[in-house]
Amino acid sequence: MGIIPPTMPLTVTVAPCRPICGAAFLLLSVIGCGHGGPIRATLKNGVERPQPAVILFIADGLGADMLERGCAEGWLPNIQRRFVQAGLRVENAMTAVPAITYPSIVTLLTGASPARHEIVGNRWFDPRDFRFRNSLTINTYRAVNRDFESPTVYERLAPAPTAGIQCPIRRGVTKNFANWAASGVMWFFRDYTAVDKLTVDSLPRVVLWANSLSRWPSLLTVYFPGLDTVGHVHGPESEKYRWAAWHVDHQVGRVCDWLESQDLLKSSYIVLTSDHGQVEIRSDGRVDLMALLRDAGRSPTDRQIQDGKLEDRRRHFNAFDTVACWRDGRFGIVHFKGAGGWSDPPTFAEVEAVAARFCQGSQRGAAAAPHGIQLVAYLRSQCEAGLIGPDGAARIIERETTAGVEYAYAPQPADVFGYLATPELAGFVAAGFHSSRDWLGATCRAAIPDVVPHLIPLLRCRRAGQMLVICADGYSLSGERGGHGGLLRREMRVPLLIAGPGIAPGSSLEMSRAVDLTPTLLTLLGRQAAIGDDLEGRALPLRSAD
């Protein structure tokens, strides 16, 4: 199943400064070491095999650029053979805005955008109940399933049995395999790729469950969280990140080999995607959002309070006029308190005045984003967004028509997205209003793809605050070597590969969005996938091999 790139580490590295108790060391020794061999599990005779079934692989933090490079250079051999050569590739698959794990995975598994399902970050503040959610703790990572209402693909497939391994989005799944205790130990000792191996090592437990049920699940989600963390710690251009990507490929190969051994592969669709790519962060690339807000005359807090009494939370946040969510990397959310308190949002004019002060600071003038910031976005009215970049300001305008919602980009005085540099795209912009899907088609190959239709709906969401702060290339709001959440193509474009019965080998589609995955899965499994009822995406027109 491929070879290990010769410069990659071959052993598990444990942080020496952390004491290792005997039980934890034994756990790491048994589970964490090695890359994993063939899966030893057998489906019993008589177990119903759905015709078809879907196995969905989600590789957190695997951008399309890295996947294409690995396939071209030969160090992602399983993905190349099982998906690229044997199935269909979407050339420009765009993740959600923002390109952050929890918003994107909820979008993948609901078909709803973050503006609709309201999971706008791994961390977010809701002024309606004074809750500052942090989903990245052992106590709260499952709370996301209570924090949105859009139906999941599992709920839409019920009563058909479904299963998930390691994925935090699990509402409605018939059987979930979380591995939280073993994963927590591995995370504590920074053995992130071992968690990805543990995901696949859990497949025999799925088989035992399927044997007891006498039915293989219609949908099995296999989630790999480790690669993304390696990118954050070491950077997406590092050898360690490249090795971690190879390691994910190895795990995907283990699953596909097992499916083939059980005569399941030929009747199953295998799908591989991700939630976002990553951007290398320069050594001096941290932007201090809290300091910028203070320089603008604000009194901000970033304290994450998600438990305890409502009155205690209210008392804390009432002492400040600004709440900043900046720990998600390259994407920041800023909430401003209105004249009547947190239940009374500021007016559009008040927000614009604050945004102008924020962008003025020690910079060239009011219409210039601070150093390291690519874009500051806010609502000027219910249907118009103000945009401030390093070179000036622009606008996005929304209008309702009988054909649906349309958007126009007004790059005056500054072209903050760089669209006017391309004659064809400049002509598209000059033509005025276009549908959301037309904007996707026109910009999916641009350096900043598929952003125009998303900012106004996102800013209307209460959890997204009144101002979005998006970092420039090489910069992040948090101290990290690799980051995401911005608007650049290499963090927005993700792999979407599908292979299985009737799909032409080596075929391709030009574009898709994360919202399209759930309706596509439903269609593959013979379920209706009509747009509406929180289902914003559309089923992809997969080419037939006939």
Side-chain angles (χ1 to χ4, degrees), residues 126-138:
D126 194 328
R128 291 168 293 194
D129 64 358
F130 298 93
R131 191 180 304 276
F132 197 138
R133 174 69 77 204
N134 175 7
S135 299
L136 302 184
T137 75
I138 193 67

Side-chain angles (χ1 to χ4, degrees), residues 93-140:
M94 296 299 152
T95 191
V97 178
I100 297 172
T101 295
Y102 274 77
S104 298
I105 295 182
V106 174
T107 293
L108 287 170
L109 296 179
T110 63
S113 67
R116 181 168 295 192
H117 60 59
E118 292 195 308
I119 304 300
V120 296
N122 297 335
R123 305 163 178 88
W124 43 263
F125 173 66
D126 194 328
R128 291 168 293 194
D129 64 358
F130 298 93
R131 191 180 304 276
F132 197 138
R133 174 69 77 204
N134 175 7
S135 299
L136 302 184
T137 75
I138 193 67
N139 293 323
T140 60

Side-chain angles (χ1 to χ4, degrees), residues 260-274:
E260 194 169 50
S261 74
Q262 301 298 302
D263 204 28
L264 283 168
L265 191 61
K266 66 182 181 182
S267 61
S268 298
Y269 292 101
I270 53 175
V271 181
L272 174 69
T273 191
S274 181

Side-chain angles (χ1 to χ4, degrees), residues 140-162:
T140 60
Y141 77 99
R142 292 168 292 186
V144 63
N145 296 281
R146 304 191 302 269
D147 291 334
F148 69 93
E149 297 181 357
S150 300
T152 66
V153 64
Y154 309 117
E155 291 172 319
R156 293 181 183 275
L157 286 171
T162 54

Side-chain angles (χ1 to χ4, degrees), residues 237-284:
E237 299 300 323
S238 68
E239 290 292 286
K240 290 184 178 179
Y241 179 83
R242 182 183 170 197
W243 181 83
W246 172 88
H247 189 263
V248 167
D249 175 87
H250 180 78
Q251 305 310 321
V252 169
R254 294 176 66 203
V255 175
C256 291
D257 289 349
W258 180 84
L259 291 170
E260 194 169 50
S261 74
Q262 301 298 302
D263 204 28
L264 283 168
L265 191 61
K266 66 182 181 182
S267 61
S268 298
Y269 292 101
I270 53 175
V271 181
L272 174 69
T273 191
S274 181
D275 49 351
H276 54 75
Q278 283 217 3
V279 171
E280 190 81 12
I281 305 301
R282 46 193 285 176
S283 59
D284 62 346

Side-chain angles (χ1 to χ4, degrees), residues 27-73:
L27 181 62
L28 281 174
S29 300
V30 172
I31 300 178
C33 292
H35 313 302
I39 296 168
R40 307 296 183 188
T42 303
L43 278 178
K44 292 181 179 178
N45 292 332
V47 171
E48 181 183 352
R49 291 162 165 81
Q51 306 284 334
V54 171
I55 293 83
L56 170 63
F57 298 96
I58 302 177
D60 197 321
L62 180 61
D65 289 352
M66 178 60 72
L67 182 141
E68 290 166 2
R69 175 185 168 191
C71 289
E73 296 178 357

Side-chain angles (χ1 to χ4, degrees), residues 364-416:
R364 291 170 292 161
H371 179 71
I373 301 298
Q374 180 176 36
L375 189 72
V376 174
Y378 59 93
L379 288 182
R380 303 184 75 223
S381 72
Q382 197 64 18
C383 57
E384 181 178 333
L387 312 172
I388 303 176
D391 299 319
R395 295 176 298 142
I396 296 173
I397 306 162
E398 178 190 84
R399 74 177 183 185
E400 290 272 359
T401 73
T402 55
V405 180
E406 295 180 338
Y407 298 90
Y409 168 53
Q412 293 92 23
D415 179 16
V416 298

